[in-house]
Amino acid sequence: MITLTNVRKQYSDAVAIGPVNLEIPAGGITALVGPNGAGKSTLLTMVGRLLGIDEGDIRVAQYDVSSTASKDLAKIISILRQENHFVTKLTVRQLVGFGRFPYSKGRLTEEDEVIISRYIDFLNLTELEDRYLDQLSGGQRQRAYVAMVLCQETDYVLLDEPLNNLDIAHSVEMMKHLRNAAGEFGRTIIVVLHDINFAARYADYIVAVKHGQIEKEGTPEEIMQDDILTDIFNTEIQVIDGPHGKIACYH
């Protein structure tokens, strides 16, 4: 479980996050949703300790994020940000291999190589593993980054808008991979999503963020209501029943 208690981050007199009190359940996929600028990515990066907090307490599996040694935290939480600046003259396999750094410190063992191959295969990248990143499509490159994060083999995986710049088909493919990773490997995946319908279709739990606060949280069934979504996104939304669950329609 991830627990945030009275967490605050003050940017200016007008811009602040918190106070946030939140419990993210262990297992499955939790989606952070909300309008642009709501604070979703900020919350995620604070949980991943890429951004410090001004007040409060964040614990992941009972570990205090602020005080746990980096080498230990890297075996508990892995995080993928939106902005990735890896050298493009890396192959897919070399990139995925970076996920083993907390264990190998750059000296890959036979066991590391087996684990790297496992996630390359899992993300359907086997035929691409010797290609350089700049030879890949956007969807292929995104899969390689996710394979790298999964290769870190942490119980908790944080992903900041992994569907960014993906078309509908590749977005569906990515969410199916994450759904399978949560089930097959027993991971807890927290993902920032722009599209509420992807959250409703693939997440087990949804946390809606607005103005730096937790506006609403619950199961997709609980969140996918006309009045709740209209309030969260500040636009009229009607929820209808689709073949795979509820669908939000914007007016």
Side-chain angles (χ1 to χ4, degrees):
M1 179 183 290
I2 296 176
T3 306
L4 291 81
T5 306
N6 295 323
V7 171
R8 294 176 184 265
K9 181 70 177 178
Q10 191 81 33
Y11 287 102
S12 66
D13 291 340
V15 182
I17 302 292
V20 172
N21 290 284
L22 176 66
E23 287 188 358
I24 297 176
I29 297 177
T30 291
L32 302 182
V33 303
N36 291 339
K40 306 181 296 294
S41 296
T42 301
L43 273 181
L44 194 80
T45 51
M46 288 193 295
V47 172
R49 203 169 75 182
L50 296 181
L51 182 67
I53 60 177
D54 294 333
E55 294 178 28
D57 180 75
I58 300 176
R59 292 183 181 270
V60 178
Q62 300 303 314
Y63 289 87
D64 186 331
V65 167
S66 296
S67 60
T68 301
S70 294
K71 63 182 179 62
D72 297 323
L73 198 64
K75 296 177 182 178
I76 303 163
I77 306 175
S78 52
I79 182 167
L80 182 66
R81 301 188 67 172
Q82 284 188 58
E83 311 85 16
N84 301 303
H85 301 293
F86 281 93
V87 178
T88 52
K89 281 306 173 188
L90 285 174
T91 66
V92 168
R93 190 172 187 88
Q94 287 170 331
L95 174 71
V96 177
F98 278 125
R100 301 307 302 158
F101 189 82
Y103 309 91
S104 67
K105 300 296 186 280
R107 297 185 177 186
L108 297 174
T109 65
E110 285 186 23
E111 182 184 1
D112 289 322
E113 296 290 358
V114 169
I115 293 170
I116 291 166
S117 293
R118 177 187 304 152
Y119 292 102
I120 285 175
D121 293 345
F122 181 74
L123 270 298
N124 297 334
L125 293 163
T126 311
E127 294 181 0
L128 304 172
E129 67 176 346
D130 295 321
R131 285 207 200 165
Y132 292 107
L133 297 183
D134 59 359
Q135 296 175 320
L136 303 181
S137 69
Q140 292 167 337
R141 197 156 44 236
Q142 195 76 321
R143 271 189 286 144
Y145 285 125
V146 170
M148 175 190 69
V149 173
L150 291 177
C151 194
Q152 200 169 323
E153 294 214 306
T154 58
D155 287 338
Y156 295 86
V157 179
L158 315 180
L159 303 171
D160 190 3
E161 296 211 30
L163 308 186
N164 215 11
N165 301 319
L166 298 186
D167 60 24
I168 292 292
H170 285 107
S171 294
V172 169
E173 179 185 49
M174 177 62 75
M175 290 307 300
K176 287 181 177 178
H177 283 310
L178 296 181
R179 183 75 262 166
N180 291 338
E184 186 173 329
F185 302 123
R187 306 294 169 80
T188 300
I189 297 176
I190 298 92
V191 55
V192 173
L193 291 178
H194 185 70
D195 191 323
I196 185 64
N197 286 320
F198 277 108
R201 176 74 176 88
Y202 295 101
D204 302 288
Y205 200 71
I206 296 175
V207 176
V209 184
K210 185 178 180 182
H211 302 315
Q213 308 267 350
I214 306 302
E215 183 76 8
K216 204 81 176 176
E217 58 179 297
T219 64
E221 190 72 23
E222 291 168 332
I223 298 298
M224 294 296 284
Q225 315 260 352
D226 297 6
D227 56 338
I228 291 174
L229 294 186
T230 295
D231 180 60
I232 291 168
F233 292 98
N234 295 319
T235 188
E236 187 181 347
I237 296 175
Q238 181 183 6
V239 177
I240 63 173
D241 290 319
H244 301 293
K246 293 185 179 295
I247 299 172
C249 299
Y250 296 80
H251 291 277

